[in-house]
Amino acid sequence: MSDTQAAKSAGSADGTPLRRQPVQQRSAQRVERMLDASAELIEEVGYDALTTTLIAKRAGVAVGSLYQFFPDKRAVVQALTQRNLEKFMSAVRERLTGVDHQHWWDLVDSLLDIYLRMHREVPGFSKVHFGDAVDVRLLDDRRDNNNVVADSLTGLLTANLNLPEDQLALPIAVAVETADGLLNLAFRRSPDGDEAVVAETKYLIKGYLASRLGE
């Protein structure tokens, strides 16, 4: 993804946090630096201690430049979280290639592994995940964060595997809520995610989806 595309994706949700879209590559790169800086700082000091001044200093921009694009630190983190969701969905989209349409729930392993990898490797992700640590409606003020994730997954599965959306929506929403709760347990037990709990999560969700959506 180019810098311009990445900046656009950061503000692509219904509740865009950007005051204005960067139209030049230099501006898009500056927005990306702000998001990268906020991720690093969240990892180091946490969301509560994060300030727009710290973000601007780390990104190497003037505070006034930050305010051209974001009204406050919450908006910066909202854009960062939207960018993380796009990274997650892009990895899922890639994994969908070649998946057996009749046993697509085997994809659960890959989806959870993608999430775990982001938790371990993407700066700031372990602190805010898909936004709940800041606001349960950070991604979209009309839906809670898990709903946004579930709707995105449902849309991908519907489009890529030719599955009926009306039959997918509720099971996917239940699976996302279940995975969220169990992975929280896994990370409470171990900073990297307790492997036994992760294995149980995969087993439970695959069995549930197979029972609801299998032939």
Side-chain angles (χ1 to χ4, degrees):
M1 179 183 294
S2 70
D3 291 323
T4 302
Q5 289 172 322
K8 286 183 178 180
S9 72
S12 62
D14 292 337
T16 175
L18 287 168
R19 276 180 160 162
R20 65 182 179 87
Q21 291 285 351
V23 294
Q24 297 180 337
Q25 185 176 17
R26 181 182 300 176
S27 296
Q29 291 172 338
R30 191 157 62 243
V31 169
E32 287 297 294
R33 290 205 308 274
M34 295 175 199
L35 300 186
D36 292 340
S38 67
E40 293 171 2
L41 288 164
I42 289 169
E43 195 71 37
E44 295 170 13
V45 304
Y47 177 76
D48 289 341
L50 185 69
T51 66
T52 52
T53 300
L54 285 175
I55 295 170
K57 183 176 180 180
R58 178 65 62 91
V61 302
V63 175
S65 180
L66 183 149
Y67 284 129
Q68 287 180 358
F69 296 99
F70 300 102
D72 51 32
K73 73 171 186 179
R74 182 186 184 280
V76 180
V77 178
Q78 183 183 4
L80 173 65
T81 304
Q82 290 174 346
R83 188 177 74 171
N84 285 339
L85 176 60
E86 177 55 32
K87 287 181 179 179
F88 176 76
M89 297 307 301
S90 178
V92 173
R93 193 178 297 112
E94 181 178 347
R95 181 63 186 84
L96 278 170
T97 305
V99 168
D100 184 341
H101 289 209
Q102 292 184 324
H103 300 95
W104 63 268
W105 47 84
D106 288 337
L107 184 67
V108 167
D109 283 4
S110 295
L111 265 62
L112 292 179
D113 287 342
I114 292 167
Y115 183 89
L116 290 167
R117 185 170 66 250
M118 289 184 67
H119 190 281
R120 295 163 181 160
E121 298 176 3
V122 176
F125 188 78
S126 65
K127 306 295 185 183
V128 296
H129 301 113
F130 288 128
D132 282 7
V134 177
D135 185 338
V136 295
R137 292 194 172 186
L138 184 66
L139 287 168
D140 184 338
D141 61 10
R142 297 174 300 178
R143 299 173 292 166
D144 66 49
N145 301 321
N146 280 347
N147 251 339
V148 175
V149 175
D151 289 348
S152 297
L153 288 172
T154 299
L156 267 186
L157 291 168
T158 299
N160 287 271
L161 300 181
N162 195 29
L163 296 168
E165 183 175 356
D166 59 341
Q167 294 180 28
L168 281 176
L170 181 57
I172 293 299
V174 170
V176 167
E177 289 291 345
T178 302
D180 184 48
L182 290 174
L183 290 177
N184 283 337
L185 171 62
F187 289 120
R188 288 200 303 271
R189 291 193 169 195
S190 168
D192 287 330
D194 184 272
E195 291 184 2
V197 175
V198 171
E200 290 295 298
T201 302
K202 291 177 177 179
Y203 178 82
L204 188 153
I205 294 177
K206 281 196 291 186
Y208 165 72
L209 290 175
S211 70
R212 289 292 178 269
L213 301 168
E215 293 182 349

